[in-house]
Amino acid sequence: SQTIHQWPATLVQPVGSPLSLECTVEGTSNPNLYWYRQAAGRGLQLLFYSVGIGQISSEVPQNLSASRPQDRQFILSSKKLLLSDSGFYLCAWDREYNEQFFGPGTRLTVL
Amino acid sequence: AQSVAQPEDQVNVAEGNPLTVKCTYSVSGNPYLFWYVQYPNRGLQFLLKYITGDNLVKGSYGFEAEFNKSQTSFHLKKPSALVSDSALYFCAVSRTGTASKLTFGTGTRLQVTL
């Protein structure tokens, strides 16, 4: 069966510090991968998606970047965090018919 | 462009009563429609999907949803609500075809009380 992992589960970082969040998927190959941000426990904002290694599409201009160094690994990064980067970050992957499966999420607090 | 509307921020229902969480969508062509549930500080869990075929879709935990093409709706329903159903519910749509991204609604918080 397929599983998706995210780490860390929670993170508290000072403004201006770097960020690296990792997402890995097991049990499937060549998945589409997605990074979402959820603010205040409500709507999801799609940040990045990837259809293959090294292929990243950005949905909104922001302080973040994404990379896909391996088929089942998706990394969300920032060189300098802003207060507005705080939120709940969700990684997801999909298979046929666009049914997405979500990881457990990372709660990021920027102070 | 595709979009999803969940017109209710919150739905309140007593345990044992039927529940409905509303969703309408806009997409060019035939839609794929999904419902997800989110418990506090957790990722989204898939509940059910409509791809094609029978307009009434049955999913996890006794939930079902009815696809209505003429009204462009995909309302989530359950005959008898449980307190444990209290959570945040998201409707999502994508356009048929490959590599089509999901568009999510803003979510509806369901509160089931004794």
Side-chain angles (χ1 to χ4, degrees), chain A residues 77-91:
Chain A
S77 304
S78 174
K79 293 182 178 179
K80 289 186 178 182
L81 283 169
L82 306 172
L83 286 173
S84 58
D85 292 324
S86 293
F88 192 49
Y89 288 83
L90 291 161
C91 180

Side-chain angles (χ1 to χ4, degrees), chain B residues 103-114:
Chain B
T103 297
F104 285 86
T106 52
T108 297
R109 191 165 301 282
L110 174 65
Q111 187 68 47
V112 182
T113 54
L114 291 171

Side-chain angles (χ1 to χ4, degrees), chain A residues 32-34 36 46 49-51 59 93-100, chain B residues 1-3 26-34 36 51 92-104:
Chain A
N32 296 323
L33 295 171
Y34 304 83
Y36 292 88
L46 179 62
Y49 71 96
S50 171
V51 299
E59 287 295 296
W93 70 276
D94 73 13
R95 54 185 190 186
E96 63 179 10
Y97 301 126
N98 311 99
E99 178 182 334
Q100 289 186 14
Chain B
Q2 55 198 42
S3 64
S26 174
V27 67
S28 59
N30 294 320
Y32 292 157
L33 293 158
F34 306 84
Y36 289 83
I51 302 300
V93 67
S94 69
R95 184 172 48 83
T96 55
T98 59
S100 178
K101 302 183 298 295
L102 289 182
T103 297
F104 285 86

Side-chain angles (χ1 to χ4, degrees), chain B residues 19-33:
Chain B
L19 69 88
T20 299
V21 183
K22 296 179 180 178
C23 171
T24 59
Y25 67 90
S26 174
V27 67
S28 59
N30 294 320
Y32 292 157
L33 293 158

Side-chain angles (χ1 to χ4, degrees), chain A residues 18-107:
Chain A
L19 173 74
S20 181
L21 303 181
E22 189 166 343
C23 170
T24 59
V25 180
E26 296 178 357
T28 188
S29 60
N30 197 30
N32 296 323
L33 295 171
Y34 304 83
W35 277 113
Y36 292 88
R37 177 168 58 203
Q38 184 179 29
R42 294 310 295 250
L44 296 171
Q45 180 185 35
L46 179 62
L47 302 176
F48 301 95
Y49 71 96
S50 171
V51 299
I53 296 174
Q55 301 178 62
I56 309 294
S57 296
S58 175
E59 287 295 296
V60 292
Q62 57 205 322
N63 184 43
L64 302 168
S65 62
S67 62
R68 185 169 176 176
Q70 300 180 43
D71 181 46
R72 291 170 290 175
Q73 184 184 32
F74 204 23
I75 297 172
L76 184 69
S77 304
S78 174
K79 293 182 178 179
K80 289 186 178 182
L81 283 169
L82 306 172
L83 286 173
S84 58
D85 292 324
S86 293
F88 192 49
Y89 288 83
L90 291 161
C91 180
W93 70 276
D94 73 13
R95 54 185 190 186
E96 63 179 10
Y97 301 126
N98 311 99
E99 178 182 334
Q100 289 186 14
F101 294 89
F102 285 79
T106 295
R107 173 77 58 194

